[in-house]
Each structure stands twice: as structure tokens, then as C-alpha cells.
Amino acid sequence: MKIQIDQARLTGELQTLAKFTDAEPVSDGTSVTRVVFSPDDLRARAWLKKLAAAEGFEIHDDAVGNIFIRWTGTEPHLPAVATGSHIDAIPHAGMYDGTVGVLGGLEAMRALKRSGLRPRRSIELVMFTSEEPTRFGIGCLGSRLISGTLDPLRADAMQDKDEATLAAVRTAAGFSGPLSSVRLPADHYHAWLELHIEQGPLLEREGTPIGIVTSIAAPAGYRFTITGFGGHAGALLMPDRKDALCAAAELILSVEKHTLATGTIDTVATVGTCDVHPGAVNSVPSRVVLQLDIRDTDPARRESVMQSVRHDCEQLRQRRNVTITEELVNADAPAQSSPHIVQLLETLCTEQGIQYKKMVSRAYHDSLFMACIAPIAMIFIPCRNGVSHRPDEYAAPGDTTLGVHLLASVLAKLALE
Ligand code: GLV
Ligand code: MN
Ligand code: MN
């Protein structure tokens, strides 16, 4: 069986997908903004389904808009082997994050079909809804619901910045029915694989073309609301102010200080949004909402950073006379890859003379949640300068092809088990 990846076609499809974007063109790369259920996201989904339909694969969506593209095996009652990723993109992102796993997964299936493989187990490609947290503040919406990690009623009540609920937004996008129907049983898949760009610098720095992910670090998200006392920027006297943004600045620095104090590169924390009310240059900020993203390979250490931040918040409340409320968005456990799938990948790399590195994924992925219902592993490919979530994100076609080839090879083995 000879697997041949159509590199020119895949490169062209990645470029076409990048055209479904809300972002203005930039000079330093390809800027992609594709927020879940935006017109561009919906157009991209329709285009993807057309590609899959042209191959004769079966297609269906679930109530949250996850798309399933299935190549039925000769023993269709057996749990399928699955792969996939996401096509939504954060504001001003690049064109490879997630898309390589979706279009690469599709090309892997097409290549296996061309090779003459007759899979015993069905092979399924999944495109997840809202891996990115942009719209509803929580990432991996589709895979959380598939794995039963997110309460369906809580999910439907979540609101975007315009106070539209997920229930309303998904219905308007054409996805209805109870979210409880999205959940899949633990034995639904025989195995799960995700191909993704590394989003970090290690593979490129070491000149290694393939990363085999052995675990995924544990993310958590919090929302802090700081309320003080604002007013006229000229007339409100300095001693009478309770500037919520000044308090927020101290909170942000507290997060940085305690994260650095762990002394390990495995703890990372980011305050990536800051909504200032009323947001006028001549008005003292009265309310600020911050979103904190904190991750660690060790969830206990992540929690100890949060405890130190809470201690600082208590002092801030007293010293600045502000109120600070903390809301937990998510606190997830890390995931481990299946030793069996990792071993298969290692054997394939060795047989094919491909250098590889076993590594931790510091970014989160839908695989974190698929690990709750299936044995998983991930394949990483290098990205230029380790850059991601930016328009200059880039993965070389040759590296992408190698990743897709390895993905196809392991899917073929698993589909015959
Ligand atoms: C996924 O996009 C992440 O933020 O890790
Ligand atoms: Mn991303
Ligand atoms: Mn991604």
C-alpha cells in the first residue's frame, strides 16, 4: 500500500480556507479572523462539506455544529478511528492553527482511499465547533460537549459580548436540538489522532520534523470583575478615586509575579483581555473585567499560583477599597496520550526514517477532551519561529505533507486493528 499525499492540492485548500476571514489583509502574513458561527465560519463549513461530499464521504452535524465526515469501513459496527481539529480562528490569527488537522485529515483519508486501502473500521474526520474561546469565553466547546465535560444547560446559557446566548446563536446558524445529544459514549471511537502545528519553537530549533505528543498541559480560565468608583477625569479628586483599572494593573502584575515564582517554564499565565468601563479617555475607570488564562502540566501548582493571586486580591481590596469578584470559567485536568498509539507512531517514524521528538503540548486542543472518551495521541509539525496566533504563523508544505503522511499511516494501521 503506497500512501501519496497531494501536497499541491492541500496547500491550495489551506490557502482557500484562509480567504474565509473577517480580518483586513496585512503585509506580514495572512491574517485570519474566523469566529464561531460568524458568516465566514459558516461559509468555510459549507465549503469543507462540499470537499468531503465530492469524495463520497458521509457527512452529518450535531446540535452544536460539530461536523462528522465518515468513510465507512467494511465492519461499520466497530468503533471508528477518528481524527480532526478546528477551523475557527482567534482575531488576527494565522492560517495553520487547527486547519492543518482538518484539511490534513481530509487529505489523509483521500490518500488512503487512493492507495486502495479497505479499512475494517470506519475512519472519521471531526471538525469541532469553537475550539477557540473568542466568542463565548471558553475553548473546546464542541469537544467538551462530546466528552460530557461541560453541562449542556450551562453551555446553552453562555453569552457572547452582545449578550446573545449560545442557544440563540447556534439555532440561527442552523443547529438545533438539545445539547445533551452531542455527548458520545466512552467506547464510541477506537482511537483518536490530531495533527497540529507545534505553536512553539522546539521542533524547528532542533531541526526535528515530527513531534509525538505524550501529554497535554492543563488549562484553566477565570474572569475577574473589579469595581471601584469613577467619574470625571478632571474633577474627581485623586484621593476620592477608586480607579478600577489601577487595581486591575496590580492584579495582572500579581499573576505574572506568582507565575514566574514557580521557577518552571511549565507554568504560564496570561491576562489577554481587559474591558474598561466606561472606556473614555476623560473618565476614571469604574469597572474592569479581566480574562485570565493559566496553564500548567501540574494542576496542583496551577492552583497554588491562583491561591497566591487570591491573597494579593484580598490586600488589593483593602488597600484600594474596590470589590473584586472571581468567576471560574474552566479548570481542566491534563491528558495523557495512549502508550499504544504513541508506540505505533514511534514504530512508523523509525520504519520510515523520520526523526521525531516525544513532547508535551503546552497549547490545549480538542484532544484534551477527546482523551476522556478515547485513546488519543497528537502529531506536531514545526512552525516557523514557533509563532502562532499571529498572521505570520507558517508551516512549510513539506513539513505539513510529512505530518499528513504519518497521520494517514497510523490511521490505516488503527483502522485494520
Ligand atoms: C488553543 O488555541 C490554545 O489557546 O491553546
Ligand atoms: Mn488556537
Ligand atoms: Mn488549534
Side-chain angles (χ1 to χ4, degrees), residues 97 131-132 199 295 363-364 389:
D97 174 6
E131 190 268 352
E132 301 291 7
Q199 303 183 284
R295 313 177 188 207
Y364 60 69
H389 283 182

Side-chain angles (χ1 to χ4, degrees), residues 215-398:
S215 66
I216 305 176
Y222 296 84
R223 195 175 287 120
F224 285 94
T225 303
I226 301 143
T227 310
F229 181 78
H232 196 286
L236 183 56
L237 302 179
M238 292 304 281
D240 297 338
R241 298 179 181 201
K242 295 173 197 166
D243 187 320
L245 187 55
C246 291
E250 289 202 48
L251 203 165
I252 294 168
L253 291 177
S254 155
V255 168
E256 185 190 49
K257 181 177 82 189
H258 295 300
T259 303
L260 286 170
T262 62
T264 163
I265 56 165
D266 288 337
T267 316
V268 289
T270 310
V271 175
T273 70
C274 176
D275 288 336
V276 181
H277 183 82
V281 66
N282 57 350
S283 189
V284 179
S286 60
R287 190 176 68 246
V288 171
V289 181
L290 301 177
Q291 283 179 294
L292 165 64
D293 173 313
I294 176 166
R295 313 177 188 207
D296 205 312
T297 48
D298 174 2
R301 189 171 48 205
R302 182 186 76 195
E303 182 50 29
S304 79
V305 171
M306 288 307 298
Q307 285 300 358
S308 304
V309 170
R310 286 180 193 120
H311 179 77
D312 284 356
C313 278
E314 196 38 53
Q315 293 192 335
L316 257 178
R317 282 186 188 99
Q318 289 171 17
R319 190 160 38 78
R320 288 190 170 269
N321 210 0
V322 292
T323 62
I324 304 177
T325 59
E326 173 194 323
E327 187 192 334
L328 174 69
V329 179
N330 62 289
D332 302 303
Q336 306 301 323
S337 294
S338 142
H340 171 60
I341 306 178
V342 167
Q343 184 57 59
L344 276 181
L345 288 167
E346 286 194 80
T347 305
L348 282 165
C349 285
T350 306
E351 281 170 6
Q352 295 172 16
I354 303 168
Q355 244 191 302
Y356 65 90
K357 174 186 176 67
K358 294 212 265 183
M359 62 197 300
V360 174
S361 170
R362 296 172 192 284
Y364 60 69
H365 302 281
D366 293 300
S367 296
L368 184 67
F369 298 98
M370 295 310 280
C372 302
I373 63 157
I376 67 137
M378 290 188 70
I379 301 169
F380 274 177
I381 56 169
C383 53
R384 189 175 59 197
N385 299 327
V387 157
S388 183
H389 283 182
R390 291 180 10 184
D392 54 345
E393 178 181 273
Y394 177 76

